[in-house]
Amino acid sequence: MKRVVIIGSGNVATSLAHGLSRHCCVAQIYSRTLSHARALADAIGCPDATDDLKKLVPDADVYILAVSDDAIAGVISAVPDNGALWVHTSGSKPIDLFKGRRARYGVLWPMQSFSRQVVTALDEVHFFAEASDEAALGDLMALGHLISRHVVEADSAKRRQLHVASVFSCNFANHMWTLAAEVLDEAGLPFEAMKPLIHTTVDKLDRLAPAQSQTGPAIRHDLKVIASHQAMLDDDKRDIYDLITQSIMNRNPLDDNAQ
Amino acid sequence: MKRVVIIGSGNVATSLAHGLSRHCCVAQIYSRTLSHARALADAIGCPDATDDLKKLVPDADVYILAVSDDAIAGVISAVPDNGALWVHTSGSKPIDLFKGRRARYGVLWPMQSFSRQVVTALDEVHFFAEASDEAALGDLMALGHLISRHVVEADSAKRRQLHVASVFSCNFANHMWTLAAEVLDEAGLPFEAMKPLIHTTVDKLDRLAPAQSQTGPAIRHDLKVIASHQAMLDDDKRDIYDLITQSIMNRNPLDDNAQ
């Protein structure tokens, strides 16, 4: 059974520790704050917690750096190589942070937004793996498959595309809801009213690709409704409304819809 | 117990018929296609189905026109007034379709996207009501409250704002997912990878307003990441990326975030 050390006790570390502890031996939790390391170790039944990088157990198989992006390099340089597999979990940091400092290393990035309060089930989370060499990649993919059904190889370029996609999928979708909330607020109406509709829209993704489940005035090229909406919006929202409407119309020329 | 006639057998009519049949007497279902009327009537235990507007039962309390937007006016003019409450369920058609043709009338618009295949639970769906007079509004709100916890008065202007909000909430959020799917497709990656993240983003709406749960490079004013994303996108996606990023940044000046 693989022995894993988890460096970090934050959002990603918490869900990883819980997921991994069911399938391998989490030998130690490190955190800058001992009480945090101890709390996470206790929660998963791990015997060893530390706040001292010099006291990392020396003989684990895998060391997972689930710390903030800016802290990764510091941990790598503070600890000498021991020949184990060293892994960070960041989508935006390159694998090269390890280069010249570790012999076997990789990146294992979970495509999910974690919080410390909630232990997230990892089975359906997609993990993206990159490693220093084929053997390390094999070990890393095997580790990922212990906790998730979806482990895919992805180099830095692919991770960047995944990151852009997540910005559209989550950050920008969420901003659409912010704009909707503003429109409703002006009318004295609660954003709550949108939630059943939002849930239905998301549920459709289980059956259809988003391009296939698009609805609304833009895909119908309903210029009368579009004009009435444009007339109601402030500049900021109208610019966004126009651009997205045009983008939907461009992808769905009227000829395609005419029956 | 109120006696209700449902005119229509499509998406909205189906869920309304099921919801109403538990709390009042659905006396008749009308559809242009008799077999559709019959199927829906049978499904809810309603004794009477017809495809003839001349055979509408004359003495119901409420007549609900859950037909397509463009069919509403035709039904109204084909049937003489009988003094009952007449209601259409369209968000985009004005209440004035009834003016001069009915004495007591209104609009009861459910903010949900329905499909004929799925009977949608209405309890949490927000209904927006408008009526010809106070007494009719009282009757209409009471009818709505039989099937939903959320029935709110909303005139045509408010319905228009709700409609714009639903375009942002659903149509535009869905288009963000289309754009994400395109980015992923270019990298040979499946849109599936986004789903756990999308579900987490939607779940957050139960705890926080969307403006409060915004994350990502735009709200962090992370210009380096933003520039690297811009460099990867085609013109269409980059224009949208830029405009939404700017809209998020404008609402979250850096001073607000600095601690």
Side-chain angles (χ1 to χ4, degrees):
Chain A
M1 204 176 193
K2 294 277 182 198
R3 297 180 72 232
V4 178
V5 169
I6 294 175
I7 298 168
S9 62
N11 304 352
V12 177
T14 297
S15 286
L16 276 181
H18 280 265
L20 285 166
S21 68
R22 283 195 286 275
H23 305 283
C24 54
C25 169
V26 178
Q28 188 181 43
I29 306 280
Y30 163 88
S31 168
R32 277 181 308 183
T33 309
L34 185 60
S35 61
H36 294 173
R38 177 80 61 205
L40 180 53
D42 287 350
I44 64 163
C46 162
D48 194 351
T50 183
D51 61 352
D52 186 350
L53 286 173
K54 294 195 177 63
K55 292 186 184 158
L56 288 187
V57 299
D59 57 348
D61 300 294
V62 187
Y63 294 74
I64 299 178
L65 284 81
V67 296
S68 66
D69 282 5
D70 293 337
I72 299 171
V75 173
I76 295 172
S77 59
V79 182
D81 194 10
N82 59 353
L85 178 59
W86 285 74
V87 178
H88 78 63
T89 60
S90 166
S92 41
K93 286 292 173 182
I95 190 171
D96 289 351
L97 288 180
F98 291 108
K99 204 166 189 171
R101 295 181 173 279
R102 291 295 184 277
R104 303 177 63 235
Y105 52 88
V107 179
L108 187 66
W109 179 40
M111 176 56 75
Q112 180 54 291
S113 167
F114 296 95
S115 62
R116 198 188 299 219
Q117 290 74 32
V118 182
V119 176
T120 304
L122 300 176
D123 321 42
E124 294 300 330
V125 173
H126 291 238
F127 281 76
F128 296 94
E130 181 180 15
S132 50
D133 57 88
E134 282 300 313
L137 183 64
D139 287 353
L140 189 52
M141 302 275 289
L143 183 78
H145 274 121
L146 291 176
I147 49 176
S148 167
R149 297 175 52 221
H150 312 281
V151 187
V152 178
E153 192 181 347
D155 59 14
S156 295
K158 282 196 177 183
R159 280 206 303 282
R160 210 156 39 233
Q161 287 188 278
L162 283 157
H163 196 222
V164 173
S166 77
V167 167
F168 278 100
S169 295
C170 298
N171 306 151
F172 287 0
N174 189 73
H175 191 58
M176 296 301 108
W177 300 328
T178 296
L179 300 180
E182 289 180 6
V183 168
L184 292 170
D185 196 50
E186 283 167 26
L189 293 160
F191 180 67
E192 290 295 316
M194 295 294 122
K195 288 186 184 172
L197 199 50
I198 289 172
H199 283 288
T200 301
T201 307
V202 173
D203 289 347
K204 273 194 206 165
L205 296 178
D206 288 337
R207 301 188 301 276
L208 293 169
Q212 275 148 8
S213 63
Q214 185 66 44
T215 57
I219 197 168
R220 293 197 309 270
H221 291 240
D222 189 337
L223 301 179
K224 207 171 135 190
V225 166
I226 290 168
S228 85
H229 288 177
Q230 288 166 328
M232 296 166 55
L233 294 166
D234 61 34
D235 288 353
D236 174 63
K237 290 189 198 67
R238 194 176 52 246
D239 287 348
I240 290 176
Y241 187 99
D242 291 353
L243 202 58
I244 298 178
T245 293
Q246 197 57 56
S247 176
I248 295 171
M249 289 171 77
N250 290 346
R251 276 168 181 73
N252 301 279
L254 209 46
D255 293 344
D256 288 8
N257 297 321
Q259 302 293 335
Chain B
M1 204 178 193
K2 293 277 182 197
R3 296 178 75 230
V4 178
V5 168
I6 294 176
I7 298 169
S9 62
N11 304 353
V12 177
T14 297
S15 286
L16 277 181
H18 279 267
L20 285 166
S21 68
R22 282 195 287 276
H23 303 284
C24 54
C25 169
V26 178
Q28 189 181 43
I29 305 279
Y30 162 88
S31 168
R32 275 181 310 183
T33 309
L34 185 60
S35 62
H36 293 174
R38 178 81 60 205
L40 181 53
D42 287 350
I44 64 163
C46 162
D48 193 352
T50 183
D51 62 352
D52 186 349
L53 286 173
K54 293 195 178 64
K55 292 186 182 158
L56 288 187
V57 299
D59 56 348
D61 300 293
V62 187
Y63 293 75
I64 299 179
L65 283 80
V67 296
S68 67
D69 281 7
D70 294 337
I72 299 171
V75 174
I76 295 173
S77 59
V79 183
D81 193 11
N82 60 352
L85 178 61
W86 285 75
V87 178
H88 78 62
T89 59
S90 165
S92 41
K93 287 292 173 181
I95 190 173
D96 289 351
L97 289 181
F98 291 109
K99 204 167 189 172
R101 295 180 172 280
R102 291 296 183 275
R104 303 177 63 235
Y105 53 88
V107 178
L108 187 66
W109 179 39
M111 175 57 73
Q112 179 55 290
S113 167
F114 296 95
S115 62
R116 200 189 298 220
Q117 291 74 31
V118 182
V119 175
T120 304
L122 300 175
D123 321 43
E124 294 300 331
V125 173
H126 290 238
F127 282 75
F128 296 94
E130 181 180 15
S132 51
D133 57 88
E134 281 299 313
L137 182 64
D139 287 354
L140 189 52
M141 302 274 292
L143 183 77
H145 274 121
L146 290 176
I147 49 175
S148 168
R149 295 175 53 222
H150 311 281
V151 187
V152 177
E153 192 181 346
D155 59 16
S156 296
K158 282 195 177 183
R159 281 206 303 281
R160 209 155 39 234
Q161 287 188 279
L162 283 157
H163 196 225
V164 172
S166 77
V167 167
F168 277 99
S169 294
C170 298
N171 307 152
F172 287 1
N174 189 71
H175 190 59
M176 297 300 109
W177 300 328
T178 296
L179 300 180
E182 289 180 5
V183 169
L184 292 170
D185 197 49
E186 283 167 27
L189 293 161
F191 180 68
E192 290 295 318
M194 294 294 121
K195 289 187 186 173
L197 199 51
I198 289 171
H199 283 288
T200 301
T201 308
V202 173
D203 289 347
K204 272 193 205 165
L205 296 178
D206 288 336
R207 300 189 302 275
L208 293 170
Q212 275 149 7
S213 63
Q214 186 65 46
T215 57
I219 196 168
R220 293 196 309 270
H221 291 239
D222 189 335
L223 302 180
K224 208 171 133 189
V225 166
I226 290 167
S228 83
H229 288 177
Q230 289 166 328
M232 297 166 53
L233 295 167
D234 61 33
D235 288 354
D236 174 64
K237 290 188 198 67
R238 194 177 53 247
D239 287 349
I240 291 175
Y241 186 100
D242 290 353
L243 201 57
I244 298 179
T245 293
Q246 197 57 57
S247 176
I248 295 171
M249 290 172 77
N250 289 347
R251 277 168 180 72
N252 301 278
L254 208 46
D255 292 345
D256 288 8
N257 298 319
Q259 301 294 333

